[in-house]
Amino acid sequence: MSEIEKLKKKVATACRMLFVAGLVDYSGHISVRIPETDRFLINPHPISRASVTSGDILISDLSGALMEGKWKLPSELPMHTRTYRVRQDIQSIAHLHNRMVVVLSMADWPLVPASNTGAFFGPGPIPVYQDPALIHTDEQGDAVARTLGSGEAAILRGHGSIVGGRSIEWTFTACVDLEESAARLYYASVLGPVRHYTDDEVIRVAEGRRQMAVVQKVWDHYVARAELAGLMEGL
Ligand SMILES: [Zn+2]
């Protein structure tokens, strides 16, 4: 199997696992750069995230032109193209419609580290892009990239989030931790005032959590979960 074919399979696998994790519904996407090119792989607009295959995965360039594939590119592609242009360190980007992150944004509740999953993103609240409109233009994509700044996640108010990382496995794990962080924060808030982590606590927890072995462990766990759910056949 060629390197491109292996990457296509990873994108399709990640897509199905994001569905298993409840982080995408009928929409949402994940992309990964093709190393040493200005192109990236991404799942297509019309195909269910629960059944996408390697053969469905598309290749886009950084202007948003379809370079290979038989389907329409996702309508919110500018989130990927405009972020890749300004963040050379990011190799993979996901756009989620993640429920608990959206719920907190609806109440203007800052997503701050208050549990170990929240520590993944470092000290401080996750930045919020305030316009709930879908990201269809380069100007909107630039604005989302500016909100992301030098971080690995940004919340799109009432809509979802964008997550970027150094590999597709890294981005997938960050997606899982972002949503779990929001869910834990919400549940704790029902009980009373939430005790946030100090910056020192965040940094010390992140040291353990942001290791490649942990990232791979999360990826492997979700592969197993998707297999159990019967969602890994025909990739
Ligand atoms: Zn969206």
Side-chain angles (χ1 to χ4, degrees):
M1 191 184 292
S2 72
E3 290 305 311
I4 291 285
E5 291 305 313
K6 284 181 192 169
L7 269 184
K8 284 182 178 176
K9 188 172 179 182
K10 272 194 180 181
V11 174
T13 299
C15 224
R16 293 192 191 194
M17 297 196 308
L18 287 172
F19 173 77
V20 168
L23 301 179
V24 298
D25 44 26
Y26 41 84
S27 294
H29 15 92
I30 187 161
S31 66
V32 64
R33 285 188 199 262
I34 302 173
E36 294 166 21
T37 71
D38 62 351
R39 299 180 177 190
F40 62 93
L41 303 169
I42 191 165
N43 60 295
H45 176 272
I47 304 300
S48 169
R49 282 58 179 153
S51 62
V52 62
T53 68
S54 305
D56 295 320
I57 302 304
L58 309 176
I59 297 178
S60 170
D61 70 8
L62 292 185
S63 73
L66 179 65
M67 307 307 291
E68 183 186 310
K70 57 188 176 184
W71 303 109
K72 181 178 175 292
L73 285 159
S75 60
E76 294 191 282
L77 195 74
M79 251 185 278
H80 300 258
T81 55
R82 306 308 286 186
T83 302
Y84 280 136
R85 280 170 178 261
V86 294
R87 287 290 301 274
Q88 295 302 318
D89 59 316
I90 286 181
Q91 300 303 316
S92 174
I93 293 170
H95 168 48
L96 311 174
H97 293 158
N98 39 354
R99 178 175 295 164
M100 294 310 297
V101 169
V102 168
V103 165
L104 294 191
S105 76
M106 291 161 63
D108 283 331
W109 193 293
L111 182 42
V112 292
S115 70
N116 282 16
T117 50
F120 188 93
F121 302 93
I126 305 292
V128 182
Y129 176 75
Q130 294 294 340
D131 185 354
L134 299 187
I135 311 303
H136 287 161
T137 70
D138 286 349
E139 291 72 23
Q140 291 171 305
D142 287 339
V144 169
R146 280 196 298 276
T147 303
L148 183 67
S150 60
E152 291 179 332
I155 297 164
L156 312 175
R157 181 174 69 88
H159 173 186
S161 56
I162 178 172
V163 177
R166 62 187 73 170
S167 68
I168 192 167
E169 292 90 346
W170 188 278
T171 294
F172 177 80
T173 296
C175 290
V176 170
D177 273 13
L178 185 69
E179 177 69 356
E180 184 62 24
S181 172
R184 291 178 182 185
L185 195 58
Y186 171 77
Y187 290 129
S189 74
V190 173
L191 301 176
V194 176
R195 190 175 165 195
H196 299 150
Y197 280 14
T198 65
D199 287 359
D200 178 63
E201 286 171 335
V202 170
I203 290 165
R204 285 189 292 114
V205 171
E207 273 175 21
R209 198 145 189 97
R210 292 170 63 86
Q211 292 185 14
M212 283 310 300
V214 176
V215 166
Q216 189 65 46
K217 185 179 175 185
V218 173
W219 175 273
D220 291 345
H221 173 69
Y222 275 89
V223 168
R225 275 185 61 170
E227 282 171 347
L228 269 179
L231 278 171
M232 293 296 268
E233 288 166 20
L235 273 170

